[in-house]
Amino acid sequence: MIGRAQRWARPLVLGALLVVAPGLGCGEDEPEPVKAARAFAEAVRYRDVEQILQMVDSQTRSRIGQAAERASDQVGGRRNVEVEEMIQVVDVDPRFQVAEVVLGQDDGQRAVVRLQGSDGTEHSLELINEDGAWKVRLPLPRGPMGEP
């Protein structure tokens, strides 16, 4: 059984997200949400936590930051748990190849981008337009990682 302190200190796991083949269809005429989704997928592929944090929306960053603060509190202040420590990328197949990218809903403020793999898998990302830049909104679990 996982103790309360261990649950709070558990990192956010980004599992089975998206991997985009290098150079695959990154055209200049693609809509901005599609470009942002591709860039995020590359960051996930290379497990670039700092880049991932730059590409998520402010709500996601805030919730991850709050979880890091709670994790620090749970260790009695003996150490400061950094936001970057709260993210782990797991279960990402480096052989995943994107066969098709589809921009679903796009109202200028919120967009959904669907990436379909050559293996038949499909992944969707919700993106939010924050101050003219498209950011990924991660579906964070409720409870220890969620809002109070």
Side-chain angles (χ1 to χ4, degrees), residues 59-90:
Q59 177 183 326
T60 300
R61 271 191 314 279
S62 175
R63 290 177 66 198
I64 294 170
Q66 290 169 2
E69 287 176 21
R70 287 191 300 268
S72 295
D73 291 344
Q74 290 297 316
V75 296
R78 291 185 303 269
R79 104 177 173 79
N80 185 32
V81 177
E82 299 295 328
V83 173
E84 292 83 4
E85 294 177 77
M86 299 305 295
I87 296 180
Q88 291 182 358
V89 179
V90 297

Side-chain angles (χ1 to χ4, degrees), residues 38-109:
R38 285 186 187 276
F40 182 78
E42 279 297 297
V44 169
R45 176 181 184 189
Y46 292 108
R47 292 163 171 76
D48 187 342
V49 172
E50 289 180 18
Q51 189 69 22
I52 290 169
L53 283 171
Q54 290 177 15
M55 296 176 157
V56 296
D57 72 312
S58 58
Q59 177 183 326
T60 300
R61 271 191 314 279
S62 175
R63 290 177 66 198
I64 294 170
Q66 290 169 2
E69 287 176 21
R70 287 191 300 268
S72 295
D73 291 344
Q74 290 297 316
V75 296
R78 291 185 303 269
R79 104 177 173 79
N80 185 32
V81 177
E82 299 295 328
V83 173
E84 292 83 4
E85 294 177 77
M86 299 305 295
I87 296 180
Q88 291 182 358
V89 179
V90 297
D91 296 332
V92 175
D93 185 350
R95 299 167 294 179
F96 180 84
Q97 299 290 313
V98 173
E100 183 179 6
V101 179
V102 177
L103 176 60
Q105 176 186 346
D106 179 3
D107 64 10
Q109 293 303 309

Side-chain angles (χ1 to χ4, degrees), residues 16-21 24 93 95-102 114-124:
L17 281 178
L18 318 164
V19 179
V20 178
L24 180 66
D93 185 350
R95 299 167 294 179
F96 180 84
Q97 299 290 313
V98 173
E100 183 179 6
V101 179
V102 177
R114 188 175 71 238
L115 288 91
Q116 296 176 335
S118 57
D119 61 356
T121 60
E122 185 176 294
H123 304 280
S124 292

